[in-house]
Amino acid sequence: STGTDAVVLVYTSNEATTDFAVADITETDCTTSDFTTTSTTVYGSTCTASSDGTPTVLVAADAFNDATSNGNSVSNTYTWTYDRTSLS
């Protein structure tokens, strides 16, 4: 576990995307902010844990499209254990 409540995430697509947006990111027990676009294949965001626990972040299948309207595959799920008491 970690006392780090905010993690920076990078999302990489193997093909250029046309409509990837912060709304395509599914989070549990955390809040996504600071969404950035580096290129048509690389994006970033910060996810901040809401409380002690195990936040998760993923991008569901068909959340966004490439230039030929193909939907994306489901992403891996990023998970970490946030424990603010570990700061004591």
Side-chain angles (χ1 to χ4, degrees), residues 2 8-10 12 15 17 21 23 30 34 37 39 46 55-56 62 64 67-68 70-72 74-75 83:
T2 180
V8 175
L9 301 170
V10 176
T12 305
E15 293 188 35
T17 66
C30 62
D34 301 326
T37 301
S39 70
T46 300
T56 62
D62 297 320
F64 63 90
T68 56
N70 296 311
N72 64 290
V74 65
S75 72
D83 180 5

Side-chain angles (χ1 to χ4, degrees), residues 12-38:
T12 305
S13 175
N14 63 347
E15 293 188 35
T17 66
T18 58
D19 57 357
F20 185 60
V22 69
D24 299 329
I25 301 167
T26 302
E27 66 276 311
T28 304
D29 298 328
C30 62
T31 302
T32 298
S33 63
D34 301 326
F35 184 77
T36 60
T37 301
T38 302

Side-chain angles (χ1 to χ4, degrees), residues 1-4 53 80-86:
S1 72
T2 180
T4 302
W80 78 103
T81 301
Y82 173 60
D83 180 5
R84 90 181 110 220
T85 59
S86 68

